[in-house]
Amino acid sequence: MAFDPTFDLFQLPEEYLELRAAIRDLSEQYIAPHAADVDEQERFPEEALKALIDSDFNAIHVPEEYGGQGGDSLAAVIVIEEVARVCGSSSLIPAVNKLGTTGLILAGSDELKKEVLTDIAAGKMASYALTERGAGSDAAAMKTRAVRDGDEWVLNGSKCFITNGGKSTWYTVMAVTDPEKGASGISAFMVRDDDPGFSVGGFEKKMGIKGSPTAEIYFEDCRIPAHRIIGEEGSGFKTALQTLDHTRPTIGAQALGLAQGAYEAAVKYVQERQQFGKDIAQFQNTQFMLADMRMKIDAARLMVYTAAANAERGEAEGGARLGLMAAGAKAYASDVAMQVTTDAVQLFGGYGFTRDFPVERMMRDAKITQIYEGTNQICRMVMGRQLLQEIKP
Ligand code: COS
């Protein structure tokens, strides 16, 4: 068979290439100049939020009928990757907006979608609240309770490690509605930041992504209208895990962007830095390190894009592969991000350890991608369970 030069299995369609060019341009112009300051001052990247809202990239995934762009999962990962390439903290704006609304999009009523998603499309933000002090990887061990009282649900408890906590208007909150039923006694709700009994506090001091607040949120007899439940009572744990099947590729994309940013900085630097009378780029050791970085990034990109495209096929077609591929893409890309950013610091030598160059920030930012939205150990466990179902003796 003769090779067909128009064969483009691994070439993104034109519309995604245009999207990448647009978000790259925006990121370099409006987000990159503030990335070091955002990290240094540990402040929320307001400039990034404004730039993303102005060009409708803040919540690209929101369906058009609610005022969003209606971007698919592949579009979302490209946006997140490109923002992360210049600023890890800012990339959490589109990523967490997707995380905080995916359960609603998958399982919520039209009424609730309209109420929340139009807000998000207009520039408000959403967060996802699953984790508690005593329920991290073992998410079903949560203690936050929701009790029905007439036309309201009353929530009591607290959630921790809430990304963009305090900045978000809406929170997808998982709470126990029937303690006798374990995971099947958990329901999901949309809580607004001005609901009575809701408060935010306990901001974490972190190693990286310092521009994105990580907060504790509290519910003290927090009353919300009955229609704010997502789907059926008792379906909340499944909705929470389905959400992660859809959003783990976005963390893979954040990791990919951080790796790409560090790799590009390293490739430039080694062609300027002279030692032993020549650019360090001329040493085979340097080229081998760069080649390894590049191979890992290329492989991670294929996994992240494939997992995102697969998420669009939905449960029917994607089936069990949805969770398997999402967990694999997230775990692999985040491991790559840690390796590549660490190697980039190494190539910069002593300078890489200073804040004069962005690679040390990227290395610190990369670490969390191995931890949140399921530690890479949990991701491997999710994969292990599913891959054993695929092949039987
Ligand atoms: N999609 C939909 N439903 C799922 C699912 C998925 N991906 N995975 C499991 N379920 C269902 C199961 O089918 C089961 O329902 P039935 O009892 O009706 O069969 C229910 O959920 C409970 O599943 P399971 O018994 O497997 O739950 P576990 O308590 O063993 O927990 C893990 C499963 C560890 C996978 C889950 O707790 C997890 O993903 N933990 C990590 C949480 C996480 O990522 N936290 C980060 C938060 S974002 S920063």
Side-chain angles (χ1 to χ4, degrees):
M1 188 190 279
F3 179 72
D4 174 359
T6 64
F7 178 74
D8 63 355
L9 180 60
F10 298 110
Q11 170 74 26
L12 287 178
E14 195 59 37
E15 67 213 82
Y16 295 97
L17 296 176
E18 284 168 13
L19 171 70
R20 180 192 295 290
I23 184 68
R24 177 167 291 201
D25 196 39
L26 176 138
S27 299
E28 287 181 349
Q29 213 177 329
Y30 299 106
I31 300 177
H34 307 286
D37 185 62
V38 159
D39 176 68
E40 192 77 30
Q41 305 297 325
E42 304 200 20
R43 66 174 179 83
F44 184 76
E46 297 291 352
E47 304 89 346
L49 179 63
K50 182 178 182 313
L52 290 165
I53 292 173
D54 286 350
S55 30
D56 289 330
F57 287 133
N58 56 311
I60 183 162
H61 70 287
V62 171
E64 284 174 28
E65 58 191 300
Y66 306 110
Q69 289 287 299
D72 61 18
S73 299
L74 186 54
V77 299
I78 289 171
V79 167
I80 294 161
E81 175 192 354
E82 285 299 327
V83 178
R85 178 176 159 271
V86 302
C87 179
S89 292
S90 300
S91 69
L92 285 169
I93 295 170
V96 177
N97 275 340
K98 185 167 160 80
L99 177 65
T101 51
T102 292
L104 173 67
I105 291 172
L106 290 174
S109 68
D110 286 342
E111 179 192 15
L112 191 54
K113 282 185 196 172
K114 195 165 177 212
E115 188 177 349
V116 176
L117 295 175
T118 46
D119 258 6
I120 305 306
K124 299 261 192 282
M125 301 205 300
S127 291
Y128 175 86
L130 177 69
T131 303
E132 298 182 3
R133 288 278 161 204
S137 291
D138 184 7
M142 68 179 67
K143 296 274 184 279
T144 296
R145 282 295 311 270
V147 177
R148 183 74 184 250
D149 182 22
D151 285 343
E152 293 178 321
W153 286 97
V154 185
L155 278 71
N156 276 288
S158 66
K159 298 279 176 182
C160 64
F161 296 130
I162 306 307
T163 306
N164 288 346
K167 281 287 167 187
S168 286
T169 301
W170 287 100
Y171 295 80
T172 298
V173 179
M174 271 51 73
V176 177
T177 42
D178 186 344
E180 305 296 312
K181 290 193 179 161
S184 303
I186 291 171
S187 305
F189 302 90
M190 292 305 312
V191 177
R192 238 189 102 102
D193 64 348
D194 57 0
D195 284 328
F198 175 86
S199 61
V200 182
F203 291 92
E204 305 292 344
K205 291 200 170 295
K206 298 171 298 181
M207 169 194 284
I209 56 159
K210 294 183 176 193
S212 167
T214 304
E216 199 143 358
I217 58 176
Y218 310 101
F219 310 93
E220 287 170 277
D221 289 330
C222 173
R223 288 183 172 270
I224 61 170
H227 77 272
R228 296 253 209 91
I229 191 166
I230 298 174
E232 299 291 315
E233 190 178 333
S235 66
F237 194 64
K238 285 186 185 174
T239 301
L241 295 188
Q242 271 174 342
T243 297
L244 296 173
D245 287 346
H246 282 267
T247 59
R248 283 183 178 140
T250 66
I251 298 306
Q254 184 191 33
L256 188 56
L258 288 164
Q260 180 71 30
Y263 163 77
E264 288 178 29
V267 173
K268 284 183 194 153
Y269 183 76
V270 298
Q271 295 176 78
E272 289 166 354
R273 173 72 174 162
Q274 296 234 324
Q275 287 292 279
F276 302 102
K278 50 184 168 181
D279 295 345
I280 61 170
Q282 301 309 316
F283 294 108
Q284 201 173 43
N285 171 63
T286 304
Q287 293 179 17
F288 280 8
M289 279 178 78
L290 292 172
D292 280 335
M293 290 156 86
R294 177 58 181 265
M295 281 189 273
K296 290 172 187 166
I297 290 171
D298 284 351
R301 183 168 289 111
L302 275 178
M303 287 185 76
V304 169
Y305 287 11
T306 312
N310 189 57
E312 283 305 313
R313 294 191 189 99
E315 293 297 325
E317 282 182 68
R321 290 192 312 156
L322 195 65
L324 180 79
M325 293 175 74
K330 184 271 188 195
Y332 186 75
S334 59
D335 285 346
V336 162
M338 205 59 241
Q339 293 159 4
V340 167
T341 55
T342 305
D343 281 352
V345 168
Q346 191 70 19
L347 282 168
F348 273 75
Y351 296 104
F353 200 62
T354 72
R355 294 195 182 175
D356 295 342
F357 294 94
V359 288
E360 69 84 32
R361 184 186 78 241
M362 290 165 169
M363 182 179 162
R364 286 185 287 105
D365 284 354
K367 183 61 206 171
I368 191 62
T369 63
Q370 294 181 302
I371 299 172
Y372 58 18
E373 290 206 29
T375 63
N376 283 2
Q377 287 69 30
I378 287 288
C379 286
R380 285 174 169 86
M381 192 182 103
V382 167
M383 292 181 76
R385 285 182 179 187
Q386 294 188 10
L387 64 85
L388 290 174
Q389 301 302 316
E390 283 185 346
I391 301 173
K392 292 288 178 192

